[in-house]
Amino acid sequence: MKVPGLKLICLAFLFIHTRILVCYGALDDAVDDYTDETPAKPPPPEMDNCNGVFLSYAFTSRTKALPLLKNVSAQPWTFNAMATVVNSGTEEVKGWKMYIGFQHKEILVSATNAVLIDGGGDFPTAVGNGTTLAGYPKADLKTSIDTAGDFNQIAVQVELKGSMFGLGEKATPMPKTISLKNDGWRCPTPTKYKTYMHACCKRDLKFKVNSNKKSKFAARQNGDLTFMYDVVKSYEGSYEAQVTMDNSSPIGRLDRWNLTWEWMRGEFIYSMKGAYTPRFDTSDCVYGLAGRYLKGFDFTNVMNCEKKPTITDLPLTKVNDTQIGKIPYCCKNASLLPPQMDPSRARAIFQLRVYKLPPDTPPTILYPPQRWNITGVLNARYHCGPPIRVDPSEFPNLKGFDAKVYAIASWQVVCNMTRPEKRKTRCCVSFSAYYSDGAIPCSTCACGCDNIDTDKCNPDKPAMHLPPDALLLPSENRTAKTKAFAKLKKKGIPKKLPCPDNCGVSINWHINTDHKAGWSARMTLFNWQEAPFVDWFVAVEIKKAYPDYDNVFSFNGTKKLKGIKNTIFFQSLKDLNYLVEMKNGSKPSDPKVPGKQQSVISFTKKKTPNIKIRKGDGFPSKVYFNGEECALPRSFPSSGHRSHLSIASFILISITTTFLLIITRFI
C-alpha cells in the first residue's frame, strides 16, 4: 500500500541528514576563491563516540569585499560559516550557549537559529574577541532517546555571515576555539582541520547538578542581577506579563536605569504599570506588520511599538497612581541599591500587556523578548544572558485563600557585572601619603579622551605627579601647579602635557599615619559633575590590610559582604547621604569647587604585624563607586621630603565648606 507523501518525507529527511553530514567533515574543501585541493573527509568518528554535546564549526567560503586594497591587513573579506550543536548524550541540554573564539576582526552580519548574548546583541556587531550564541527560537536540545533520533529536535545549525580583516590569500580564516558555555559542561581543545573543527563536551562530574529530576525546565541560576519574565495571563492575541528585577550583588547598583530588550516576532507593548517607555511611538505598528495583520485595530492608546524599546522606572510621585502605579517595589526613580543598604530598594517590578501577531495568536504560544541589556548613569556594566525557561513562579493568592498561584510560563535572565575596558571607566583614584610631598593623580584618559581635543594634550603620556593641593582643582586649572611642581622636583616638562582623566568622580586615598600599633588612611570623594549622588557608597578591596580594619569616623563601614573577599563597604551617614554637585567658585574668576566628603579610616596591626605601608600594602587593589570599578594609579607614592602643608590639611579646609553645603539641605 502506498503512503501519500512518504516519498517527500524521505527526501526531506535525506536533505536534512545530508546537510548535517556536510557540516561534519565535508567542509574542509571550502568553496569560492578559498580552495583546498585536499579531498573531502568523511564524517568524524568522534561524532559517533561522543556521549555529550558535539560542537563543530565549518568555514564554507570567503570572498574579497570592496574596497579592493593593496594593504593586506586592511583588506575586507566576506565569509560564510556553519556552527552546529548536537546533543549526542542522554541528558536534555536546556538553553544551549556556544562560544566561538573569532580572532580576525570579524564583524558578524547575521546568524540563523540563534541570538548573540554579548556585544550588544545587534547586527552588525564586532566579534573579533569572540562571541557567544544562544539558541532561538529553539533553546533546548532534546535527546535522541526521547525523540527516536529526530535530528530536528536534538541538533541545531547556525548559518553565519560576516566580514573579516587582516588575512592574506592563503591564510586560514578559522576561530581559535569553540566551546559550550552552559554551566556544568567541560569542553576539550577542539580537533582542528584547515577549514573545520569539532569538539565533544561532557558533563563536569564535580559540578553539582540540580537534584530536582521532576522539573521539565532548567534550574534557576544566581547572578549579580536577575530578571524574571512571568506570563501571568494569556489571551487570544495578547498576554500580560510581570517583570521582576533583583539586585543580588553587595557592590552592585543602578541609578536611572534603562532596560532594553528586542521583540523577535513583531510583538508590541500596549500598556504598562510600574514603569514606562520614554518614547511613546506607534508608527512602527501603523506602518509595519501589526498594521497589516490587525485590521481595524485602534493604535491610539498603544504605548510603544519599537522593536527594541527602552523601559525605565516611574518617579516616586507615581507610587499611588491607580492608573500606572500601585505595583509593589515600583516607582523608585529608577534606583536599585545593594540589598545590605536597603532590601526594599534592591528589587523593582513592573507589568505590561503585550500583543502578538499571527501565527503566534493562540494563548499557548508564548515567546519572551531577547537580547536583554540594562544600563545606569554611573554604575557597573552588566552582561546579560538569554531568557531561560524555568519552573513557573509562585505568587501569593490575593483572594485570601491558603493556596499557591503559579505563572503560566516563566523565564529567567541572569546578568553579571563586567570590568570596564581600559579608558572606559567613569571614576578614578589618586594616591598620596604623609611621607611623600607629591600626589599620584588619576591616570591619563582614565575615563576616555573621546570628547576632548587631543591636539592640545598627549593621551599616551603618563600622568605627571601633582602637588597635593592641585587635586582640589578641575583639570583645566592644574597646568600652572603641575609645571611648577615639575620644576621644583627637577622633572622634565613635555611640550604637550598629558591629557586629564576626564572622570566625573575621583577618590583620593591618602596614608595619614603609620605607627607601631596601627595606621590610618583618609579617603576623600570628589564629585566633578553638575548633579549630586544620593545614597552613595564606596567598596574598597585592600587585601593585606583587610583583617585589621578597625573603624571609620565620618562614614558607615562594614566588612560583612556576602561572597566578596577582602572588601570594606563604606556609605554615608544618615542625613548626610548627598555627595553634592560641583559648584562655582566664590568669585567668577575662581575655579569651580567639586562636591566632597571625607573620612579617616583606622587600622590596627594585630593580625598584620609585618605590613609594609610604604611599600604599598596600605593602598587598595580595587575601588568601586556605586558599583562602578574605578581606575587605579600604576604606582605608589615614594618616600621623600614631607611638605610643610600636607594634602590632609588642604582637603580638610575644603571639606568644611562642603559639610556646610550638605547641612543647608536639612535646615
Side-chain angles (χ1 to χ4, degrees):
M1 182 176 99
K2 293 184 178 180
V3 180
L6 180 60
K7 195 172 193 179
L8 290 175
I9 294 171
C10 292
L11 286 172
F13 177 80
L14 287 172
F15 174 73
I16 295 168
H17 189 61
T18 302
R19 291 190 71 186
I20 293 170
L21 290 180
V22 168
C23 289
Y24 298 163
L27 286 172
D28 249 349
D29 292 330
V31 295
D32 273 16
D33 54 351
Y34 189 94
T35 58
D36 182 6
E37 296 180 358
T38 306
K41 294 178 176 61
E46 290 83 355
M47 170 70 182
D48 295 331
N49 298 327
C50 179
N51 181 8
V53 176
F54 187 84
L55 305 177
S56 70
Y57 179 93
F59 175 83
T60 55
S61 68
R62 71 167 177 157
T63 308
K64 276 187 178 180
L66 295 175
L68 301 179
L69 305 173
K70 293 182 179 180
N71 184 355
V72 175
S73 63
Q75 175 61 50
W77 297 77
T78 62
F79 75 94
N80 294 275
M82 180 80 76
T84 307
V85 186
V86 183
N87 183 7
S88 56
T90 58
E91 177 186 350
E92 182 177 355
V93 179
K94 299 179 184 295
W96 67 266
K97 291 177 285 187
M98 179 181 180
Y99 174 77
I100 303 176
F102 290 114
Q103 58 178 331
H104 301 296
K105 301 179 183 177
E106 290 90 343
I107 297 174
L108 208 57
V109 175
S110 67
T112 63
N113 301 321
V115 293
L116 297 178
I117 61 173
D118 45 23
D122 291 329
F123 293 113
T125 185
V127 295
N129 293 323
T131 191
T132 302
L133 302 170
Y136 181 83
K138 184 169 64 177
D140 303 334
L141 299 178
K142 297 183 178 180
T143 69
S144 180
I145 299 169
D146 294 334
T147 62
D150 184 357
F151 264 81
N152 285 326
Q153 298 186 62
I154 70 171
V156 65
Q157 290 181 303
V158 182
E159 295 181 8
L160 303 168
K161 293 183 180 180
S163 302
M164 56 176 59
F165 298 85
L167 294 169
E169 297 280 352
K170 297 183 180 180
T172 303
M174 291 289 287
K176 290 181 181 179
T177 188
I178 54 176
S179 62
L180 190 70
K181 298 298 289 184
N182 295 59
D183 293 337
W185 292 86
R186 298 183 64 182
C187 299
T189 301
T191 302
K192 299 179 181 179
Y193 302 96
K194 193 166 187 179
T195 59
Y196 175 75
M197 65 172 64
H198 63 79
C200 178
C201 303
K202 297 184 178 181
R203 266 291 182 190
D204 183 355
L205 299 179
K206 297 181 181 180
F207 184 81
K208 294 182 179 180
V209 184
N210 180 31
S211 59
N212 186 7
K213 299 293 184 180
K214 296 181 180 179
S215 175
K216 58 184 294 189
F217 303 111
R220 301 191 183 206
Q221 304 294 314
N222 296 320
D224 294 327
L225 183 70
T226 58
F227 292 91
M228 287 303 306
Y229 190 83
D230 297 304
V231 176
V232 293
K233 295 180 182 179
S234 187
Y235 314 98
E236 185 72 22
S238 68
Y239 66 83
E240 294 180 22
Q242 177 168 293
V243 178
T244 304
M245 184 191 322
D246 283 304
N247 180 20
S248 302
S249 171
I251 59 172
R253 176 190 179 124
L254 284 163
D255 291 290
R256 300 206 295 274
W257 55 261
N258 283 318
L259 170 66
T260 61
W261 61 47
E262 186 169 346
W263 298 114
M264 307 299 289
R265 307 178 72 83
E267 301 97 330
F268 60 89
I269 300 173
Y270 184 82
S271 61
M272 299 184 78
K273 293 190 71 175
Y276 73 104
T277 59
R279 184 182 177 91
F280 282 57
D281 189 356
T282 60
S283 58
D284 288 349
C285 284
V286 175
Y287 297 107
L289 292 176
R292 189 185 312 168
Y293 283 113
L294 303 179
K295 299 294 184 181
F297 190 90
D298 183 7
F299 292 101
T300 306
N301 296 320
V302 172
M303 174 173 278
N304 187 280
C305 292
E306 292 177 293
K307 181 179 176 64
K308 194 172 183 180
T310 297
I311 300 166
T312 193
D313 193 15
L314 288 169
L316 185 61
T317 55
K318 298 295 182 181
V319 67
N320 292 318
D321 190 305
T322 56
Q323 297 294 321
I324 59 176
K326 284 287 186 181
I327 299 293
Y329 300 101
C330 87
C331 315
K332 301 188 185 72
N333 296 320
S335 176
L336 208 64
L337 300 183
Q340 75 268 15
M341 287 185 72
D342 188 343
S344 68
R345 296 176 65 185
R347 166 175 284 191
I349 293 178
F350 63 89
Q351 298 172 349
L352 66 161
R353 178 78 177 265
V354 179
Y355 271 80
K356 306 179 292 182
L357 300 182
D360 298 340
T361 51
T364 55
I365 299 179
L366 300 166
Y367 292 97
Q370 299 288 320
R371 297 173 181 167
W372 292 54
N373 186 46
I374 190 162
T375 58
V377 176
L378 199 156
N379 309 121
R381 282 78 164 179
Y382 288 87
H383 173 258
C384 299
I388 302 297
R389 185 78 179 267
V390 295
D391 286 333
S393 299
E394 296 181 12
F395 298 99
N397 191 315
L398 299 180
K399 296 182 179 180
F401 299 118
D402 185 15
K404 296 178 180 178
V405 179
Y406 292 91
I408 295 171
S410 297
W411 289 265
Q412 185 190 43
V413 177
V414 177
C415 306
N416 288 306
M417 298 163 61
T418 63
R419 297 194 68 178
E421 298 178 21
K422 185 179 180 180
R423 293 188 171 184
K424 287 188 177 181
T425 186
R426 287 171 286 190
C427 63
C428 62
V429 178
S430 62
F431 289 159
S432 57
Y434 74 91
Y435 52 79
S436 178
D437 56 2
I440 301 177
C442 295
S443 301
T444 304
C445 300
C447 298
C449 280
D450 295 337
N451 59 344
I452 65 171
D453 185 3
T454 53
D455 291 335
K456 297 180 180 179
C457 64
N458 192 333
D460 302 315
K461 199 76 174 176
M464 298 176 65
H465 290 195
L466 302 174
D469 59 323
L471 293 176
L472 302 171
L473 298 174
S475 57
E476 61 268 19
N477 298 104
R478 295 179 181 176
T479 303
K481 288 183 176 291
T482 302
K483 289 182 176 180
F485 189 73
K487 287 181 180 179
L488 180 65
K489 295 299 178 182
K490 298 180 180 181
K491 301 286 187 181
I493 302 175
K495 188 175 181 180
K496 287 172 61 176
L497 293 180
C499 292
D501 55 75
N502 299 307
C503 296
V505 172
S506 61
I507 298 172
N508 175 253
W509 185 272
H510 176 77
I511 301 299
N512 203 39
T513 61
D514 184 21
H515 48 87
K516 186 176 181 180
W519 61 281
S520 67
R522 188 184 300 273
M523 183 171 68
T524 309
L525 283 63
F526 299 92
N527 181 7
W528 301 100
Q529 301 191 123
E530 296 181 355
F533 288 95
V534 187
D535 298 321
W536 58 267
F537 71 82
V538 176
V540 177
E541 180 188 86
I542 185 163
K543 295 180 180 178
K544 294 186 178 180
Y546 172 82
D548 274 328
Y549 164 69
D550 180 43
N551 199 6
V552 61
F553 298 97
S554 301
F555 303 152
N556 285 320
T558 181
K559 293 167 61 176
K560 297 178 181 179
L561 293 180
K562 185 179 179 180
I564 305 292
K565 295 181 178 179
N566 304 320
T567 301
I568 310 168
F569 186 91
F570 301 104
Q571 68 182 96
S572 58
L573 296 173
K574 186 179 180 182
D575 295 334
L576 294 174
N577 58 335
Y578 276 82
L579 177 58
V580 299
E581 64 273 20
M582 185 167 59
K583 302 284 187 179
N584 291 325
S586 56
K587 299 178 182 178
S589 58
D590 290 344
K592 291 190 174 182
V593 179
K596 297 175 286 291
Q597 286 208 39
Q598 181 190 76
S599 182
V600 172
I601 305 162
S602 64
F603 296 82
T604 67
K605 292 185 179 180
K606 294 178 181 178
K607 298 179 182 179
T608 57
N610 298 320
I611 191 169
K612 296 178 174 60
I613 299 299
R614 294 194 179 212
K615 296 292 185 180
D617 291 352
F619 290 96
S621 51
K622 287 183 182 180
V623 175
Y624 299 86
F625 176 79
N626 282 4
E628 170 83 349
E629 185 174 348
C630 304
L632 298 179
R634 299 178 182 177
S635 59
F636 303 117
S638 58
S639 299
H641 297 292
R642 184 180 178 186
S643 59
H644 295 292
L645 190 58
S646 70
I647 186 173
S649 301
F650 277 107
I651 296 179
L652 186 59
I653 293 169
S654 64
I655 284 294
T656 305
T657 304
T658 302
F659 180 78
L660 292 175
L661 288 172
I662 297 171
I663 291 297
T664 57
R665 289 180 177 267
F666 306 99
I667 294 177

